């Protein structure tokens, strides 16, 4: 393996993509843990008001949504996507997820950060594999963040219902 700067860049970028993926999973795990604790508190306190039941149901649904984010999506290739907007920041996982394919991503990186410097033929496969994993993990992270956003919205609605019920009963 060579000591080319673009190899180090792609290695670091893969580390970032893996971090974003782990962070998204941690968010979903936290939502699940919090929701289960709140639902358990509702059950043990024997809250019988309808809004508490609805809130508990929403928290349960939010937990299921977060659980879905842990479904293993395994593939060794990135599927080209039709994008709604152009990627602007090739380090940010949300923009990387929009890139059509690994060749485009490699070209964007080389042109933007390495002044169009050519990748050595002996490094081409390694860079290609890094780019494929970076794009794939960025797309996975985007999906996991989507699920956490949906679960959080459900949690906020449940919280609002609990507050309304508390004010009505007070």
């Amino acid at each position: 393996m060579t000591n080319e700067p673009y190899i180090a860049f792609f290695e670091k970028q893969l580390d970032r993509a893996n971090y974003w993926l782990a962070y998204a999973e941690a968010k979903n795990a936290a939502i699940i843990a919090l929701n289960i604790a709140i639902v358990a508190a509702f059950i043990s306190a024997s809250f019988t008001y309808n809004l508490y039941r609805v809130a508990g149901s929403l928290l349960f649904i939010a937990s299921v949504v977060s659980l879905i984010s842990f479904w293993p999506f395994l593939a060794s290739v990135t599927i080209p996507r039709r994008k709604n907007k152009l990627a602007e920041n090739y380090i940010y996982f949300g923009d990387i997820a929009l890139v059509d394919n690994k060749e485009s991503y490699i070209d964007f990186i080389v042109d933007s950060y390495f002044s169009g410097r050519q990748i050595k033929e002996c490094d081409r496969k390694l860079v290609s594999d890094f780019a494929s994993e970076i794009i794939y993990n960025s797309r996975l992270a985007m999906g996991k963040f989507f699920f956490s956003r949906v679960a959080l919205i459900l949690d906020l609605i449940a919280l609002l219902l609990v507050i309304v019920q508390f004010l009505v009963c007070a």
Side-chain angles (χ1 to χ4, degrees), residues 28-107:
N28 282 304
I31 288 171
I32 292 167
L34 178 65
N35 289 352
I36 289 173
I38 294 171
V39 169
F42 281 0
I43 291 170
S44 68
S46 299
F47 287 131
T48 56
Y49 299 111
N50 285 337
L51 285 182
Y52 286 133
R53 290 181 181 152
V54 172
S57 297
L58 285 173
L59 292 170
F60 177 77
I61 292 168
S63 296
V64 170
V65 167
S66 288
L67 273 173
I68 291 170
S69 77
F70 291 106
W71 189 265
F73 297 101
L74 303 174
S76 62
V77 286
T78 56
I79 299 167
R81 289 198 164 170
R82 206 172 124 201
K83 49 188 170 174
N84 297 332
K85 70 171 199 154
L86 293 176
E88 298 172 4
N89 179 347
Y90 303 113
I91 295 176
Y92 171 61
F93 74 99
D95 284 351
I96 294 169
L98 298 173
V99 175
D100 288 331
N101 56 56
K102 62 185 174 182
E103 289 79 19
S104 296
Y105 181 62
I106 293 167
D107 291 342

Side-chain angles (χ1 to χ4, degrees), residues 91-127:
I91 295 176
Y92 171 61
F93 74 99
D95 284 351
I96 294 169
L98 298 173
V99 175
D100 288 331
N101 56 56
K102 62 185 174 182
E103 289 79 19
S104 296
Y105 181 62
I106 293 167
D107 291 342
F108 293 141
I109 294 300
V110 169
D111 291 344
S112 299
Y113 303 120
F114 297 100
S115 305
R117 177 181 180 175
Q118 293 297 312
I119 295 175
K120 292 180 181 177
E121 194 57 42
C122 61
D123 295 332
R124 182 58 91 181
K125 172 73 171 126
L126 180 61
V127 168

Side-chain angles (χ1 to χ4, degrees), residues 14-34:
L14 181 57
D15 287 343
R16 285 186 192 114
N18 289 336
Y19 170 77
W20 300 318
L21 198 52
Y23 180 68
E25 288 181 342
K27 284 181 74 165
N28 282 304
I31 288 171
I32 292 167
L34 178 65

